[in-house]
Amino acid sequence: MAAALQVLPRLARAPLHPLLWWGSVARLASSMALAEQARQLFDSAVGAVLPGPMLHRALSLDPGGRQLKVRDRSFQLRQNVYLVGFGKAVMGMAAAAEELLGQHLVQGVISIPKGIRAAMERAGKQEMLLKPHSHVQVFEGAEDNLPDRDALRAALAIRQLAEGLTADDLLLVLISGGGSALLPAPIPPVTLEEKQTLTRLLAARGATIQELNTIRKALSQLKGGGLAQAAYPAQVVSLILSDVVGDPVEVIASGPTVASSHSVQDCLHIVNRYGLRAALPRSVKTVLSRADSDPHGPHTCGHVLNVIIGSNVLALAEAQRQAEALGYQAVVLSAAMQGDVKSMAQFYGLLAHVARTRLTPSMAGASVEEDAQLHELAADLQIPDLQLEEALETMARGRGPVCLLAGGEPTVQLQGSGRGGRNQELALRVGAELRRWPLGQIDVLFLSGGTDGQDGPTEAAGAWVTPELASQAAAEGLDMATFLAHNDSHTFFCRLQGGAHLLHTGMTGTNVMDTHLLFLRPR
């Protein structure tokens, strides 16, 4: 509400009729109330997937403390457990694992994002921190989620630990979002810089995370089952916090404990699709040619147990419960939202318009063409298990406000050199779409936030918008189209109303992709 009070003086100076002025104040107050509820739901989603509680749900010791139970499997404990980990949530996972295992944990190495330990200390999140004299060595690297020399040193230390294990040992592997950038170990003669350049070019041209990971695995010593092979003959238990649509274990962090099913031809097909075949360094061609002629064939990982302990589905389920407790009819559209951010924004904008016609029966209904367009957009996005019909039926019943929830990870094709992330870009694009449709007597708010608390190379987790965004921007001389053309969404939101629309959480210590919230409330 404080942000709303900051804006009121500007409204007071505006040359508006008194009734219009009070109408603007009322809409602003309503928007801020919705924004507070959106933040409450977002926080509940993040809270449901914090690493410590999830790890304790997945692991337990028998009463005698001699066996580690993981789902329906048991492993003998005799001071023979080693731990490695990589990802944004791994420090909290490692702290929980060390507390549980006690003296049975011999040694550990984890690779975490640069600055996350200090951020957790500043935030007072002691449960996310390792205790003094911990047996776990911590490396920090991959600044701005990009592989670097520090992350490479961590990867080599992890490989060294794994290669020293025996058949009597148990390796606990902790994996979370951001793990791929924190485990870079290119196959010689490929250099880290060459691998970075190739993946950066692919990402800039819109390659999906699945495609990026296919390339990373082909060029890595540890990804694509490489870590599991290095640890053989030790038993390996991999606990995974998923940041990938559909939770495919072979894709999360590029599958270091899952045998790769991709071929060299798959890699070449991806490179060709984005017009980068001619840009391949000689070293990359050398590694791919070796893999193509490997007489041993693909590796197997029969000594590995992979377990998903947390995902976007769990986060959305908790946010749905909170929305219902606030009096909303809440529907989870999908936990697998993916595709081009422009198309996704068009989908959400049109969905809000079509929703208006169902929530306010007195208004003119959406045309057959608009309904068809909405379904066509949904089909183009190819969203698995999209609950669009359930959402539309819920709104047609007209029993009060509605909250639609979704999760996933859209892709952004970079055209400019501005600052932002996919959540802020999506929010800004949705704001632009909302002005295209008359929404009548209905309050609408859309929020998009990254559950890790960091959207791209910014300090914001995301942003929220309402249909008034365009007029608010125009009043401050901000041209939305220009900022979008430069992928400069963060700068836009920083300048708009002093950053009031930004979602700031700090680093959360977890990561299960993004959360989208669409609030629809008749006035």
Side-chain angles (χ1 to χ4, degrees), residues 79-124:
Q79 297 185 11
N80 61 335
V81 183
Y82 295 78
L83 180 152
V84 298
F86 28 91
K88 296 177 180 179
V90 155
M91 188 166 63
M93 295 169 76
E98 186 166 31
E99 181 182 12
L100 177 70
L101 293 168
Q103 63 179 357
H104 293 293
L105 180 63
V106 180
Q107 182 186 357
V109 178
I110 61 173
S111 178
I112 61 174
K114 187 166 292 182
I116 195 169
R117 180 163 45 179
M120 294 298 135
E121 289 172 348
R122 286 194 301 271

Side-chain angles (χ1 to χ4, degrees), residues 250-302:
E250 72 277 7
V251 174
I252 302 165
S254 305
T257 57
V258 184
S260 177
S261 60
H262 296 289
S263 68
V264 171
Q265 291 307 313
D266 293 328
C267 296
L268 295 177
H269 178 69
I270 293 168
V271 170
N272 288 335
R273 179 183 302 167
Y274 297 102
L276 294 172
R277 182 71 175 265
L280 285 182
R282 183 183 298 274
S283 60
V284 172
K285 294 178 181 177
T286 298
V287 169
L288 292 179
S289 65
R290 279 187 205 154
D292 206 20
S293 58
D294 186 354
H296 301 292
H299 299 302
T300 60
C301 294

Side-chain angles (χ1 to χ4, degrees), residues 12-28:
R13 291 194 298 270
L16 294 174
H17 186 278
L19 290 177
L20 293 177
W21 186 88
W22 280 113
S24 297
V25 171
R27 284 195 298 275
L28 177 62

Side-chain angles (χ1 to χ4, degrees), residues 179-499:
S180 191
L182 288 158
L183 195 71
I187 300 172
V190 178
T191 66
L192 181 61
E193 290 73 21
E194 288 172 331
K195 188 177 176 183
Q196 277 183 279
T197 299
L198 179 55
T199 53
R200 192 181 299 120
L201 287 171
L202 286 165
R205 298 194 183 193
T208 66
I209 188 170
Q210 290 86 352
E211 290 171 327
L212 291 173
N213 284 348
T214 297
I215 298 297
R216 288 168 177 154
K217 286 190 284 188
L219 302 177
S220 173
Q221 300 178 57
L222 296 176
K223 299 181 173 78
L227 176 58
Q229 286 302 121
Y232 185 82
Q235 290 291 303
V236 177
V237 173
S238 186
L239 303 178
I240 305 166
L241 183 57
S242 173
D243 71 328
V244 179
V245 167
D247 306 332
V249 292
E250 72 277 7
V251 174
I252 302 165
S254 305
T257 57
V258 184
S260 177
S261 60
H262 296 289
S263 68
V264 171
Q265 291 307 313
D266 293 328
C267 296
L268 295 177
H269 178 69
I270 293 168
V271 170
N272 288 335
R273 179 183 302 167
Y274 297 102
L276 294 172
R277 182 71 175 265
L280 285 182
R282 183 183 298 274
S283 60
V284 172
K285 294 178 181 177
T286 298
V287 169
L288 292 179
S289 65
R290 279 187 205 154
D292 206 20
S293 58
D294 186 354
H296 301 292
H299 299 302
T300 60
C301 294
H303 59 301
V304 178
L305 173 63
N306 289 301
V307 181
I308 299 284
I309 65 170
S311 68
N312 194 268
V313 172
L314 293 175
L316 291 178
E318 180 58 31
Q320 182 182 27
R321 283 191 288 272
Q322 290 294 323
E324 290 169 347
L326 290 172
Y328 287 88
Q329 296 181 83
V331 178
V332 175
L333 288 170
S334 174
M337 300 294 288
Q338 57 187 334
D340 180 65
V341 69
K342 296 179 184 177
S343 299
M344 194 173 293
Q346 291 170 359
F347 171 77
Y348 281 127
L350 185 53
L351 177 59
H353 169 63
V354 173
R356 183 267 304 180
T357 66
R358 285 163 169 77
L359 287 171
T360 52
S362 61
M363 304 295 291
S367 68
V368 174
E369 291 80 8
E370 288 166 351
D371 266 351
Q373 186 180 352
L374 179 63
H375 285 83
E376 184 178 337
L377 278 170
D380 289 344
L381 286 168
Q382 298 181 332
I383 302 166
D385 301 321
L386 178 66
Q387 301 301 306
L388 179 58
E389 295 308 320
E390 180 186 348
L392 295 177
E393 290 170 7
T394 298
M395 289 180 280
R397 291 195 291 268
R399 297 176 184 167
V402 171
C403 178
L404 303 180
L405 308 94
E409 199 168 271
T411 54
V412 178
Q413 293 196 32
L414 297 177
Q415 299 170 321
S417 57
R419 291 189 71 210
R422 60 179 178 265
N423 288 285
Q424 293 165 82
E425 172 120 357
L426 176 60
L428 182 53
R429 289 190 179 278
V430 169
E433 289 294 326
L434 290 176
R435 69 177 172 180
R436 295 181 53 201
W437 304 103
L439 295 172
Q441 296 301 306
I442 180 171
D443 290 322
V444 178
L445 183 141
F446 176 81
L447 178 145
S448 182
T451 55
D452 62 349
Q454 183 178 31
D455 186 34
T458 76
E459 294 182 354
W464 60 271
V465 297
T466 66
E468 291 75 37
L469 183 72
S471 58
Q472 292 167 345
E476 299 196 25
L478 302 174
D479 181 28
M480 295 166 64
T482 299
F483 285 96
L484 284 171
H486 292 91
N487 299 115
D488 204 15
S489 55
H490 184 66
T491 304
F492 172 86
F493 283 116
C494 283
R495 294 181 182 175
L496 179 70
Q497 297 179 353

